Amino acid sequence: MNQENINIFINSCLQQINSKVPKNPRYKTVYSDEYYLKHIVNVLYNVTSWHALQRVYNFSPKNHFKTIYNKFRYWSNLGIFKNTFLNSIGHVTTNCLIIDATSINNKEGIQNIGINPEQKKHNCTKLSAICTKNKKILSVVACNNNKFFKKRKTIDHELKVIKQHMDNIKDIKYLHNNSKYFRLIGDKGYITKDKHTINNKNVHIITKFKINSKIKQTAFNEKIINNNRYKIENLFAVIKFFDRIN
């Protein structure tokens, strides 16, 4: 993320804040909203934890990083960052979506931490994402690993995440599909009986066939999977670049 994109993100957030956050005339603000947003971006992009802000910037009040964190929580609960993300997506015309999940080792922080079954000595956060063939992210869900990694029921977990993704994608205003249904490309962990819809159009989950599966699977073209699966892997490589979740 270059400086130009950061400025676009901050300006979009400021528009959401000015339109949605009620202003109290009795409350005197020492710092501007832009000041808080710049530090929030620094945490997400450069710093590994909120408390690390104190070590990096050496604030005069030692607990000033808590004020920045409280602002982040307050704006998050109001949906400021979610609406900014949805507005940044713009017009999307596609009938093919790609889903996958990845585990990211945690350096610091306590959000959604679980045990990585592949590396038991490391804590990790599991992220699930859906993108288009043009590598545009439509939905990202941070999974609660404690319930599933310790019991190693990762397949059941991936199926439950699909519903959260469908709810997020329904909030996108300018998602267009010229065909009769959506294709959702995934791996064998996403084989399910559940039926999902987006904008009143059915979602056909396309995976490779699983041996001895009792679930009737959608017919697939292996070229569709092989030509598109790598795209979401490239996106995960970009997401892991951010220190806050790496």
Side-chain angles (χ1 to χ4, degrees):
M1 184 183 289
N2 54 29
Q3 189 61 40
E4 183 180 355
N5 291 334
I6 291 174
N7 293 333
I8 293 173
F9 171 77
I10 290 175
N11 292 332
S12 300
C13 289
L14 287 174
Q15 292 178 1
Q16 293 287 329
I17 292 170
N18 293 331
S19 61
K20 290 194 172 185
V21 177
K23 294 183 179 180
N24 188 353
R26 296 182 181 180
Y27 180 71
K28 296 181 180 180
T29 56
V30 180
Y31 302 99
S32 64
D33 294 333
E34 186 176 359
Y35 167 85
Y36 291 112
L37 284 170
K38 286 182 178 179
H39 280 298
I40 289 171
V41 171
N42 285 334
V43 170
L44 300 178
Y45 189 65
N46 297 320
V47 187
T48 56
S49 69
W50 297 98
H51 192 273
L53 281 173
Q54 181 64 35
R55 299 195 298 267
V56 174
Y57 295 99
N58 194 17
F59 297 124
S60 54
K62 292 184 178 180
N63 60 348
H64 184 58
F65 69 92
K66 292 183 180 179
T67 307
I68 299 173
Y69 172 71
N70 290 335
K71 278 284 185 181
F72 172 74
R73 287 289 301 272
Y74 177 61
W75 288 336
S76 297
N77 294 334
L78 290 177
I80 300 298
F81 301 111
K82 181 180 179 181
N83 292 330
T84 302
F85 168 71
L86 293 175
N87 292 336
S88 67
I89 293 175
H91 292 267
V92 179
T93 302
T94 182
N95 65 341
C96 184
L97 306 175
I98 310 167
I99 186 171
D100 201 5
T102 186
S103 298
I104 299 174
N105 290 336
N106 285 87
K107 293 178 180 177
E108 295 182 36
I110 59 173
Q111 290 89 347
N112 295 320
I113 287 181
I115 297 173
N116 191 338
E118 298 176 357
Q119 300 175 349
K120 295 182 180 180
K121 294 183 179 180
H122 295 281
N123 290 332
C124 71
T125 297
K126 188 169 184 181
L127 289 182
S128 178
I130 284 184
C131 72
T132 64
K133 291 196 294 186
N134 297 327
K135 299 183 182 180
K136 180 172 281 190
I137 295 178
L138 300 183
S139 175
V140 178
V141 175
C143 312
N144 189 350
N145 302 326
N146 291 319
K147 297 179 181 178
F148 299 96
F149 271 7
K150 291 181 179 180
K151 298 179 181 179
R152 302 194 178 185
K153 294 182 180 179
T154 53
I155 294 178
D156 294 339
H157 181 41
E158 290 172 353
L159 297 180
K160 293 179 181 179
V161 168
I162 295 179
K163 186 178 184 303
Q164 299 180 39
H165 281 304
M166 297 299 107
D167 294 337
N168 292 340
I169 294 175
K170 288 175 183 177
D171 294 335
I172 300 175
K173 298 180 181 178
Y174 307 110
L175 180 62
H176 306 288
N177 181 3
N178 297 326
S179 64
K180 296 181 180 180
Y181 56 88
F182 284 93
R183 290 174 175 173
L184 182 61
I185 299 174
D187 54 29
K188 295 179 182 179
Y190 295 98
I191 299 174
T192 177
K193 292 180 181 179
D194 300 335
K195 295 182 179 180
H196 302 280
T197 59
I198 300 176
N199 297 338
N200 298 325
K201 292 187 177 182
N202 293 328
V203 177
H204 293 180
I205 299 178
I206 301 175
T207 64
K208 291 188 177 181
F209 280 103
K210 194 172 184 179
I211 300 174
N212 298 329
S213 176
K214 297 180 181 179
I215 302 173
K216 185 179 179 181
Q217 297 172 237
T218 306
F220 75 102
N221 184 347
E222 194 165 353
K223 283 187 177 180
I224 296 177
I225 297 177
N226 295 335
N227 293 339
N228 293 288
R229 281 276 300 160
Y230 74 93
K231 296 177 181 178
I232 197 166
E233 299 293 344
N234 294 346
L235 275 178
F236 283 140
V238 175
I239 292 175
K240 291 182 180 181
F241 176 76
F242 290 89
D243 289 335
R244 184 68 182 94
I245 58 176
N246 191 3

